Amino acid sequence: MTVSSTSSEKALTLLRQMGFGDEALSSGDLVSASPIDNAIIGRVRQDDPDGVRRKIAAADADFRKWRDVPSPRRGELVRLFGEALRQNKASLGALVTLETGKIHSEGLGEVQEMIDICDFAVGLSRQLYGLTMATERPGHRMMESWHPLGVTAIISAFNFPVAVWAWNACIALVCGNAIIWKPSEKTPITAFVAHALLERVLDRFDDAPGGLSLLVQGGREAGELLVDDPRVRMVSATGSTRMGREIGPRVAARFGRSLLELGGNNAMIVTPSADLALARQAIAFAAVGTAGQRCTSLRRLFVHDSIYDALIPDLIRIFGAVKVGDPLDPATLVGPLIDAPSFKAMQYALGQARAVSGRVNGGERVDGPHPDAFYVRPAIVEMVRQEAIVMDETFAPILYVMRYTSLDDVIDTHNAVPQGLSSSIFTTDLREAEKFLSAAGSDCGIANVNIGPSGAEIGGAFGGEKETGGGRESGSDSWRAYMRRATNTINYSSDLPLAQGVQFEV
Ligand code: UN1
């Protein structure tokens, strides 16, 4: 397999298309190499600790200006950002593919997800509603107001290098917050470009102060400075459970707010009444799409004993046949893994599965456009039961398959993992579907019927329970996490009645 030009050349062309000069990303100590062919696609300068502190101070100062701008006007900023994204969708989408290795259609989808959240946030900017409550006192009114919170730090992961930032950024901005983004060190170039597109809009938006949105490039140390600084009122972090376990307590120790979106171990139950053709499609996308590197990727499949043999051999065939290779080739469905450690983790998990009699199909390294890149055949692993290795999230295309006979029991097994992000059931039986969605059903933040666990729309609240961290971002009323609530009681009478009938005359 060959590629016509290297990722370096392609990245340069895309950057020019988006109006960046050749020098924009040509120097710095943080180097980004494409997982497609290991070619360097850009370099950025990492922020030193003083630089990070200066940015926090600037954001904090400019938050005080931004919070006074009416929220519909703040929405206008986000609307213009959405326009900029529409204009640059093709180029930014391709750049996402170059930097993450996700297939072209998914790279474009990621930018579409940014555009969608812009639209959502624009509408939201006129709907930051508070309630009016019935008061027990005559001549009084009681209500709640939602106010901007302060500087919001966004720590994002490599696998959705720009969309997850946009979910947080767009909502935080209409809520009146200043934002500081620390992207993954693995994807500094898409971060630079996405942020620069917002900066261009900010430059021509008179009401927006200069420190409203800042980018901090760097590793763990930069992240820690954001996590520990009391001026950062909220930390929204997407990444591993290990990372969240460190961030959560540190932010809590200073009584800051955190929104954590951590690991998933997402499952599907396929019942005897399921539409198997539909299930096959859904399983393939959810398990091998994005090379298994979504936090919502399907990792566990429970198939009823009576249909196991009608489904699994087909799936093994599909996994064996999907085209793995250059993610810019329209025929490819599975691009490379992000890097060598990710390949190692996958092989380790497969070894663990084999050690407990797991039957591994696929999972081996295959030829790609470059020998130093990590292209793998997605693995489908038949397990007798949910062993320890199945309880872990391995960020790679491994699908563990297990048989079940009783729905109640399999729901227990489904919920027996530490993570609680996304889940689904394939069934045409109303009772089974409703049971899965009920309080006694899936314990995840996302529970679906007849669609897979991945690929959520932005309109719903996104996040999960248990080790997934409990945060909700993106749609529905997730915006409340980015604001502070004040309860207001107003007395318009000439008396001062006390609540609960308390008498206190002086
Ligand atoms: C993630 O993997 O961190 O639901 C986010 C999905 C995407 C977002 C995934 N809309 O799969």
Side-chain angles (χ1 to χ4, degrees):
M1 206 182 301
T2 53
V3 275
S4 48
S5 62
T6 67
S7 295
S8 317
E9 289 155 337
K10 287 177 185 156
L12 214 55
T13 309
L14 295 170
L15 291 168
R16 283 184 196 138
Q17 280 165 9
M18 289 185 277
F20 298 99
D22 291 1
E23 69 298 334
L25 291 156
S26 58
S27 65
D29 47 351
L30 184 57
V31 178
S32 177
S34 172
I36 298 174
D37 56 4
N38 252 342
I40 292 173
I41 61 168
R43 300 165 197 271
V44 298
R45 211 176 54 78
Q46 303 198 51
D47 289 77
D48 58 26
D50 277 345
V52 177
R53 286 189 204 100
R54 270 197 304 276
K55 285 185 177 175
I56 296 173
D60 191 37
D62 284 350
F63 158 67
R64 283 154 216 278
K65 300 178 192 147
W66 186 239
R67 70 184 173 189
D68 291 338
V69 175
S71 57
R73 180 75 186 143
R74 303 194 296 244
E76 173 63 5
L77 171 74
V78 172
R79 190 187 69 77
L80 293 171
F81 180 45
E83 303 258 283
L85 290 170
R86 280 184 170 85
Q87 279 157 20
N88 291 281
K89 179 177 169 183
S91 310
L92 181 56
L95 193 65
V96 167
T97 290
L98 288 181
E99 200 169 36
T100 64
K102 64 172 72 175
I103 61 169
H104 189 44
S105 154
E106 291 190 63
L108 291 172
E110 170 142 9
V111 182
Q112 186 57 46
E113 193 160 4
M114 302 172 83
I115 295 169
D116 294 342
I117 198 73
C118 285
D119 288 355
F120 180 87
V122 174
L124 185 65
S125 71
R126 289 182 183 269
Q127 299 174 80
L128 302 170
Y129 299 138
L131 297 172
T132 299
M133 282 74 72
T135 153
E136 65 193 52
R137 286 176 279 194
H140 282 57
R141 186 162 68 81
M142 186 159 56
M143 63 173 202
E144 62 187 14
S145 313
W146 290 90
H147 297 302
L149 187 62
V151 176
T152 302
I154 303 161
I155 298 176
S156 61
F158 80 86
N159 66 327
F160 274 80
V162 284
V164 170
W165 166 68
W167 294 355
N168 285 279
C170 296
I171 306 279
L173 285 172
V174 299
C175 287
N177 299 336
I179 52 178
I180 304 182
W181 179 19
K182 197 208 84 63
S184 162
E185 301 131 273
K186 296 175 187 173
T187 53
I189 306 305
T190 43
F192 171 88
V193 169
H195 196 261
L197 293 176
L198 176 58
E199 277 171 8
R200 278 185 196 160
V201 173
L202 284 166
D203 284 349
R204 54 192 174 89
F205 198 80
D206 292 343
D207 324 7
L212 185 56
S213 177
L214 297 169
L215 179 63
V216 163
Q217 298 271 21
R220 190 191 166 93
E221 198 185 349
E224 284 176 346
L225 288 166
L226 294 170
V227 163
D228 292 334
D229 197 307
R231 291 169 296 184
V232 176
R233 294 294 303 278
M234 159 144 162
V235 177
S236 173
T238 301
S240 65
T241 295
R242 194 172 49 77
M243 176 199 80
R245 228 187 266 290
E246 291 186 36
I247 291 180
R250 281 170 80 154
V251 176
R254 59 172 179 84
F255 297 101
R257 214 183 268 187
S258 59
L259 193 166
L260 301 176
E261 206 262 278
L262 311 172
N265 194 350
N266 318 296
M268 182 192 291
I269 297 172
V270 186
T271 78
S273 70
D275 177 334
L276 289 187
L278 217 61
R280 266 194 292 273
Q281 277 290 332
I283 294 163
F285 170 66
V288 315
T290 334
Q293 299 173 117
R294 286 192 193 218
C295 55
T296 51
S297 288
L298 177 62
R299 312 211 178 275
R300 299 177 295 140
L301 181 68
F302 299 102
V303 182
H304 193 270
D305 199 43
S306 63
I307 50 164
Y308 191 92
D309 295 330
L311 182 62
I312 299 308
D314 269 0
L315 279 181
I316 292 175
R317 206 168 28 251
I318 291 169
F319 275 47
V322 285
K323 186 166 159 56
V324 180
D326 178 5
L328 285 168
D329 175 347
T332 298
L333 292 178
V334 181
L337 292 177
I338 188 72
D339 55 17
S342 159
F343 174 70
K344 248 208 192 122
M346 179 176 181
Q347 299 310 308
Y348 172 79
L350 294 176
Q352 294 292 106
R354 279 192 192 97
V356 288
S357 309
R359 284 220 321 249
V360 177
N361 305 275
E364 69 280 5
R365 203 163 164 187
V366 299
D367 283 347
H370 195 276
D372 292 338
F374 292 90
Y375 292 83
V376 288
R377 170 75 36 211
I380 179 161
V381 183
E382 294 179 89
M383 302 292 290
V384 178
R385 65 184 75 81
Q386 187 161 265
E387 303 281 0
I389 189 63
V390 182
M391 313 282 265
D392 283 344
E393 178 193 47
T394 301
F395 223 56
I398 302 176
L399 180 64
Y400 299 106
V401 185
M402 289 152 280
R403 293 174 188 261
Y404 83 91
T405 47
S406 138
L407 185 61
D408 285 340
D409 291 350
V410 80
I411 289 176
D412 285 347
T413 313
H414 172 278
N415 292 344
V417 295
Q419 313 83 352
L421 179 55
S422 189
S423 59
S424 71
I425 190 167
F426 266 73
T427 181
T428 53
D429 180 324
L430 184 67
R431 288 179 179 157
E432 289 180 336
E434 291 290 342
K435 178 165 226 171
F436 185 73
L437 301 182
S438 77
S442 161
D443 65 357
C444 292
I446 300 172
N448 296 334
V449 177
N450 292 335
I451 64 164
S454 72
E457 303 175 20
I458 56 90
F462 185 93
E465 303 301 327
K466 303 190 291 187
E467 287 190 2
T468 302
R472 292 294 186 281
E473 47 194 354
S474 188
S476 184
D477 63 352
S478 306
W479 61 270
R480 291 170 191 244
Y482 302 78
M483 300 197 87
R484 64 181 176 86
R485 181 196 323 235
T487 300
N488 312 124
T489 306
I490 301 128
N491 177 5
Y492 58 91
S493 77
S494 314
D495 295 319
L496 198 67
L498 298 177
Q500 298 94 39
V502 172
Q503 297 296 319
F504 201 95
E505 291 285 337
V506 287

